[in-house]
C-alpha cells in the first residue's frame, strides 16, 4: 500500500452517501461466501456476465473501527481498476480466527491514521489469511453495493481516484497465500467486478502502478490465475495476460538491468555503468529521474511496517520515463538496450518500427 496524502477536495463529491439497498442476493450469515453465481433479472441477457453474489463482509462497525478524522470522499463515478495488495505486516500469522482478522483491521487503521496521517484506513477492503473479508475505509461496502460511485482511498500513489484496493493479510514475497484467503479473494473480486461492470483485465497488482514489491512476487505471480478464476465465476472468456512493466530493485542483475542502464544513459545519466547490476549509481539515477519528473514520492506503507526501504525501485511509474516512442536506431543507447533484450530472447517483431509502450513491455518481459 502506498503512503500519500489525502486527496484534495475542491472538485470531489464528499461523503454522506446514502447506501442503496443490498442486492437481492443478500449477505451470507457467517464466514466467506462461496455461493454459485446466479443471474439477476437485469443481467439475464444471452451472453451477459453472471452476477457474482455479495460475499459476507464485516463492516467497520463490526470490527470496531475508529471514526474517520477527515471527511470520506465519494467520487461520482466508478473505479477503473481492482487492485490487489498484501499487508506485509504482521507477517504470515497462523491465527486464522475472525477475532484476529478484526485485530488486523484495527492495527492497519491505527497505522494509517497515526503513522501516515491519513483520515482513515487507506484500503477499501481487507482479506484475512483465515478467509474473512472486512470493510476497510468507512462507507466502502455500501458504496460498492450502489455500483455507481467510488470511495476514494489512499492505497495507490497518484491513482486513487481510479482504483479500489484489497489488502490481503500476509507477506507474499516468498510464500504462497493460504487456501482460505484465495477462496475469499476470488468471490470478493468477482462481486466488485459485477457491481462496477469491470472486465477481468482490470484486475491488477499494486506494482502495476507504483514502483513497489506489493503485493509480493508470489501473489503477484498468481494474478493471471485470479483473473481466470474470476472469469470462471462470471461466466466470461478468460482474458489474455496483460503486458506489464517489470520491477527492478537495488541488487537486481541481468539483461533487464543492463537495458535499463543503457536507457538511463540515454536520458543523460552518463555515470551509470552498463554492467547489468543494479548498484548505487543506478539507484541514484532512478531517484533523480523521479525527482526531476515529479513522480509522486511514495513508500509502500505495508513495506514500511516491515522495515523494507523501496527507495530507488524501478517499476511501472519509472519505465515510461526512459522508454521513448522512437525507432531503436535513432539513438545509440536505445539501440544497445534493444540489442541487449534481443540477446536475452526478446521477440524481434516488437522492435521493427517505432517502439510504443506496449512494445517496450514485451521486449522487457
Amino acid at each position: 500500500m502506498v503512503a500519500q496524502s489525502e486527496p484534495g477536495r475542491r472538485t470531489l463529491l464528499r461523503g454522506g452517501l446514502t447506501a442503496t439497498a443490498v442486492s437481492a442476493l443478500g449477505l451470507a450469515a457467517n464466514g466467506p461466501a462461496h455461493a454459485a453465481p446466479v443471474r439477476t433479472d437485469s443481467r439475464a441477457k444471452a451472453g451477459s456476465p453472471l452476477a457474482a453474489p455479495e460475499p459476507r463482509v464485516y463492516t467497520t462497525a463490526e470490527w470496531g473501527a475508529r471514526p474517520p478524522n477527515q471527511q470520506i470522499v465519494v467520487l461520482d463515478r466508478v473505479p477503473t481498476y481492482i487492485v490487489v495488495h498484501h499487508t506485509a505486516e504482521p507477517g504470515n500469522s497462523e491465527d486464522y480466527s475472525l477475532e484476529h482478522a478484526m485485530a488486523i483491521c484495527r492495527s492497519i487503521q491505527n497505522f494509517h491514521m497515526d503513522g501516515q496521517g491519513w483520515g482513515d484506513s487507506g484500503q477499501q477492503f481487507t482479506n484475512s489469511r483465515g478467509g474473512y473479508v472486512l470493510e476497510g475505509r468507512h462507507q466502502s461496502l455500501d458504496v460498492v453495493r450502489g455500483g455507481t460511485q467510488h470511495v476514494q482511498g489512499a492505497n495507490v500513489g497518484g491513482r486513487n481516484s481510479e482504483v479500489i484496493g484489497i489488502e490481503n493479510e500476509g507477506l507474499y514475497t516468498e510464500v504462497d497465500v493460504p487456501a482460505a484467503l484465495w477462496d475469499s479473494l476470488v468471490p470478493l473480486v468477482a462481486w466488485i467486478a459485477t457491481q462496477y461492470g469491470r472486465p477481468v483485465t482490470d484486475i491488477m497488482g499494486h506494482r502495476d502502478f507504483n514502483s513497489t514489491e506489493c503485493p509480493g512476487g508470489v501473489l503477484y505471480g498468481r494474478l493471471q490465475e485470479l483473473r481466470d478464476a474470476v472469469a470462471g465465476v462470471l461466466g466470461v472468456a478468460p482474458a489474455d495476460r496483460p503486458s506489464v512493466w517489470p520491477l527492478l530493485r537495488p541488487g537486481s542483475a541481468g539483461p533487464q538491468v543492463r537495458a535499463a542502464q543503457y536507457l538511463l544513459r540515454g536520458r543523460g545519466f552518463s555515470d551509470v555503468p552498463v554492467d547489468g547490476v543494479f548498484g548505487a549509481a543506478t539507484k541514484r539515477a532512478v531517484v533523480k529521474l523521479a525527482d526531476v519528473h515529479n513522480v509522486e514520492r511514495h513508500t509502500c506503507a505495508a513495506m514500511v511496517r516491515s522495515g523494507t526501504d523501496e527507495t530507488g525501485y524501478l517499476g511501472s511509474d519509472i519505465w515510461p520515463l526512459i522508454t521513448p516512442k522512437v525507432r531503436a536506431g535513432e539513438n545509440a543507447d536505445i539501440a544497445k538496450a534493444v540489442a541487449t533484450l534481443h540477446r536475452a530472447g526478446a521477440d524481434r517483431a516488437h522492435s521493427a518500427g517505432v517502439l510504443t509502450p506496449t512494445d517496450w513491455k514485451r521486449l522487457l518481459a
Side-chain angles (χ1 to χ4, degrees):
M1 175 174 288
V2 166
Q4 67 173 64
S5 60
E6 292 294 327
R9 291 166 171 74
R10 287 185 295 177
T11 60
L12 305 179
L13 291 177
R14 281 151 173 85
L17 175 71
T18 300
T20 58
V22 180
S23 71
L25 295 168
L27 292 176
N30 291 290
H34 303 289
V38 298
R39 292 189 189 274
T40 64
D41 290 342
S42 63
R43 298 174 183 269
K45 297 178 182 179
S48 64
L50 297 175
E54 179 179 323
R56 174 62 162 105
V57 179
Y58 292 85
T59 66
T60 51
E62 287 179 296
W63 58 261
R66 297 160 54 182
N69 60 25
Q70 298 176 17
Q71 195 165 20
I72 299 298
V73 176
V74 180
L75 303 179
D76 197 20
R77 62 178 182 271
V78 302
T80 301
Y81 301 103
I82 303 169
V83 179
V84 175
H85 301 264
H86 67 173
T87 66
E89 284 293 316
N92 297 323
S93 172
E94 295 185 2
D95 185 344
Y96 302 131
S97 68
L98 175 59
E99 292 75 16
H100 173 76
M102 291 181 171
I104 291 297
C105 281
R106 291 190 291 270
S107 175
I108 290 173
Q109 187 190 37
N110 287 337
F111 176 69
H112 288 176
M113 294 179 71
D114 301 334
Q116 302 296 101
W118 301 344
D120 197 2
S121 299
Q123 78 284 2
Q124 286 83 359
F125 295 97
T126 304
N127 184 27
S128 81
R129 286 171 58 81
Y132 294 100
V133 177
L134 304 94
E135 183 180 29
R137 181 158 290 210
H138 284 77
Q139 301 187 41
S140 295
L141 178 57
D142 280 343
V143 170
V144 175
R145 285 171 175 163
T148 61
Q149 294 180 303
H150 169 47
V151 168
Q152 183 162 313
N155 57 88
V156 172
R159 307 294 289 273
N160 284 302
S161 65
E162 304 171 62
V163 304
I164 182 167
I166 302 168
E167 282 282 354
N168 293 277
E169 179 199 353
L171 176 64
Y172 300 110
T173 55
E174 296 180 359
V175 302
D176 205 352
V177 300
L181 184 149
W182 184 262
D183 290 344
S184 56
L185 179 61
V186 171
L188 173 61
V189 173
W191 174 64
I192 294 171
T194 290
Q195 294 303 105
Y196 286 136
R198 302 316 307 165
V200 295
T201 50
D202 289 342
I203 301 167
M204 307 296 282
H206 185 178
R207 69 167 68 175
D208 291 319
F209 301 93
N210 300 133
S211 297
T212 177
E213 174 70 23
C214 185
V218 177
L219 180 52
Y220 185 78
R222 295 189 69 183
L223 287 187
Q224 185 60 33
E225 183 183 349
L226 177 62
R227 297 181 192 104
D228 292 344
V230 170
V233 172
L234 299 179
V236 299
D240 292 338
R241 184 184 299 272
S243 297
V244 297
W245 297 109
L247 177 68
L248 304 180
R249 57 181 71 76
S252 297
Q256 289 179 330
V257 175
R258 185 181 295 274
Q261 290 170 330
Y262 277 124
L263 293 169
L264 286 166
R265 290 177 67 87
R267 293 305 306 267
F269 295 98
S270 58
D271 62 332
V272 173
V274 182
D275 56 6
V277 177
F278 199 130
T282 303
K283 178 180 176 179
R284 285 195 300 271
V286 171
V287 172
K288 179 65 174 178
L289 187 71
D291 287 343
V292 168
H293 289 272
N294 297 314
V295 174
E296 182 174 338
R297 284 267 182 183
H298 62 270
T299 303
C300 179
M303 302 312 287
V304 167
R305 296 185 84 196
S306 68
T308 300
D309 179 10
E310 296 188 321
T311 302
Y313 280 29
L314 197 170
S316 56
D317 49 7
I318 302 297
W319 281 110
L321 303 177
I322 61 175
T323 50
K325 190 175 180 180
V326 297
R327 293 181 183 274
E330 293 180 19
N331 178 285
D333 287 308
I334 294 171
K336 291 174 183 176
V338 171
T340 296
L341 297 171
H342 283 163
R343 288 194 296 271
D347 187 349
R348 292 177 180 269
H350 297 308
S351 54
V354 173
L355 295 168
T356 67
T358 298
D359 294 325
W360 279 112
K361 289 175 184 178
R362 290 172 177 168
L363 281 167
L364 289 160

